[in-house]
Amino acid sequence: MIAYTTSRDATLAAPGRCLSMHRDYCACTRCDLEHNPAAARDVLEGMLPLLPRCARRDLESLLTELDGELLHRTLPDVFAHREPWRRGAWWHERLYDTDDLL
Protein backbone atom coordinates (compact mmCIF):
# COMPACT_ATOMS: atom_id res chain seq x y z
CA MET A 1 0.00 0.00 0.00
CA ILE A 2 2.91 2.34 0.63
CA ALA A 3 4.04 2.04 -2.98
CA TYR A 4 0.58 2.83 -4.32
CA THR A 5 0.08 5.75 -1.98
CA THR A 6 3.55 7.07 -2.82
CA SER A 7 2.86 6.61 -6.49
CA ARG A 8 -0.60 8.03 -6.04
CA ASP A 9 0.67 11.05 -4.13
CA ALA A 10 3.24 11.79 -6.82
CA THR A 11 0.78 11.18 -9.64
CA LEU A 12 -2.43 12.61 -8.26
CA ALA A 13 -0.73 15.57 -6.58
CA ALA A 14 0.35 16.93 -9.97
CA PRO A 15 -1.51 20.15 -10.77
CA GLY A 16 -4.16 20.33 -13.46
CA ARG A 17 -6.94 18.04 -14.51
CA CYS A 18 -5.25 15.62 -16.91
CA LEU A 19 -2.47 13.28 -15.92
CA SER A 20 -0.28 11.06 -18.03
CA MET A 21 0.57 7.60 -16.80
CA HIS A 22 4.31 6.91 -16.95
CA ARG A 23 6.41 3.77 -17.17
CA ASP A 24 9.98 3.82 -15.96
CA TYR A 25 13.02 3.08 -18.13
CA CYS A 26 13.99 0.37 -15.72
CA ALA A 27 11.80 -2.71 -15.99
CA CYS A 28 12.41 -3.95 -12.44
CA THR A 29 9.45 -4.51 -10.16
CA ARG A 30 10.61 -1.96 -7.59
CA CYS A 31 10.79 0.90 -10.10
CA ASP A 32 7.53 -0.15 -11.72
CA LEU A 33 5.75 -0.10 -8.36
CA GLU A 34 7.23 3.29 -7.49
CA HIS A 35 6.44 5.05 -10.77
CA ASN A 36 3.49 3.25 -12.34
CA PRO A 37 0.21 3.50 -10.41
CA ALA A 38 -1.28 0.67 -12.49
CA ALA A 39 1.39 -1.79 -11.31
CA ALA A 40 0.90 -0.80 -7.69
CA ARG A 41 -2.88 -1.04 -8.16
CA ASP A 42 -2.44 -4.63 -9.35
CA VAL A 43 -0.64 -5.52 -6.13
CA LEU A 44 -3.41 -4.03 -4.01
CA GLU A 45 -6.08 -5.81 -6.05
CA GLY A 46 -4.30 -9.09 -5.39
CA MET A 47 -4.15 -8.37 -1.67
CA LEU A 48 -7.87 -7.73 -1.25
CA PRO A 49 -8.97 -11.38 -1.00
CA LEU A 50 -6.21 -12.07 1.54
CA LEU A 51 -7.30 -9.42 4.03
CA PRO A 52 -9.73 -9.83 6.91
CA ARG A 53 -13.21 -8.49 6.17
CA CYS A 54 -12.80 -5.19 8.05
CA ALA A 55 -9.40 -4.39 6.55
CA ARG A 56 -10.67 -5.39 3.09
CA ARG A 57 -13.61 -3.03 3.44
CA ASP A 58 -11.29 -0.18 4.46
CA LEU A 59 -8.92 -0.82 1.56
CA GLU A 60 -11.80 -1.13 -0.91
CA SER A 61 -13.12 2.22 0.30
CA LEU A 62 -9.75 3.87 -0.18
CA LEU A 63 -9.29 2.26 -3.59
CA THR A 64 -12.72 3.41 -4.71
CA GLU A 65 -11.75 7.00 -3.95
CA LEU A 66 -8.32 6.70 -5.58
CA ASP A 67 -9.69 4.87 -8.62
CA GLY A 68 -12.26 7.60 -9.14
CA GLU A 69 -9.55 10.24 -9.09
CA LEU A 70 -7.31 8.27 -11.45
CA LEU A 71 -10.21 7.56 -13.81
CA HIS A 72 -11.23 11.22 -13.80
CA ARG A 73 -7.73 12.58 -14.41
CA THR A 74 -6.40 10.14 -17.01
CA LEU A 75 -7.52 9.49 -20.56
CA PRO A 76 -8.58 6.17 -22.08
CA ASP A 77 -6.26 4.53 -24.60
CA VAL A 78 -8.34 2.93 -27.35
CA PHE A 79 -5.31 0.96 -28.55
CA ALA A 80 -4.42 -0.56 -25.17
CA HIS A 81 -5.95 -3.90 -26.14
CA ARG A 82 -3.16 -4.37 -28.71
CA GLU A 83 -0.52 -4.75 -26.01
CA PRO A 84 -0.75 -7.94 -23.93
CA TRP A 85 0.63 -6.35 -20.74
CA ARG A 86 -2.22 -3.82 -20.79
CA ARG A 87 -5.13 -6.23 -20.91
CA GLY A 88 -7.27 -6.82 -17.87
CA ALA A 89 -8.18 -4.14 -15.37
CA TRP A 90 -9.34 -0.72 -16.54
CA TRP A 91 -6.34 1.06 -15.01
CA HIS A 92 -4.08 -0.58 -17.61
CA GLU A 93 -6.19 0.85 -20.40
CA ARG A 94 -5.34 4.47 -19.68
CA LEU A 95 -3.15 6.61 -21.93
CA TYR A 96 0.56 6.38 -21.09
CA ASP A 97 3.10 9.09 -21.86
CA THR A 98 5.78 7.10 -23.68
CA ASP A 99 7.72 10.02 -25.20
CA ASP A 100 10.43 9.66 -22.56
CA LEU A 101 10.96 6.01 -23.57
CA LEU A 102 11.82 6.81 -27.19
Side-chain angles (χ1 to χ4, degrees):
M1 185 157 150
I2 293 170
Y4 185 65
T5 56
T6 302
S7 178
R8 176 214 48 170
D9 293 341
T11 302
L12 297 179
R17 184 202 173 290
C18 292
L19 296 173
S20 295
M21 302 277 282
H22 293 277
R23 294 192 70 199
D24 205 303
Y25 287 109
C26 178
C28 76
T29 303
R30 181 177 177 266
C31 290
D32 205 26
L33 289 173
E34 277 187 34
H35 302 288
N36 184 359
R41 181 61 174 85
D42 284 338
V43 171
L44 293 175
E45 187 69 22
M47 289 176 51
L48 282 173
L50 305 174
L51 294 172
R53 184 177 301 152
C54 185
R56 184 177 341 132
R57 189 173 43 243
D58 290 345
L59 182 56
E60 285 173 339
S61 175
L62 177 63
L63 288 176
T64 299
E65 180 183 335
L66 296 175
D67 286 348
E69 183 75 12
L70 191 63
L71 185 64
H72 177 72
R73 295 189 64 193
T74 57
L75 300 170
D77 184 354
V78 296
F79 299 110
H81 68 280
R82 295 182 178 178
E83 299 177 49
W85 65 271
R86 298 188 60 198
R87 293 186 187 132
W90 67 266
W91 50 85
H92 289 287
E93 298 175 354
R94 308 311 286 172
L95 196 59
Y96 277 77
D97 181 5
T98 56
D99 289 344
D100 58 336
L101 298 176
L102 298 176

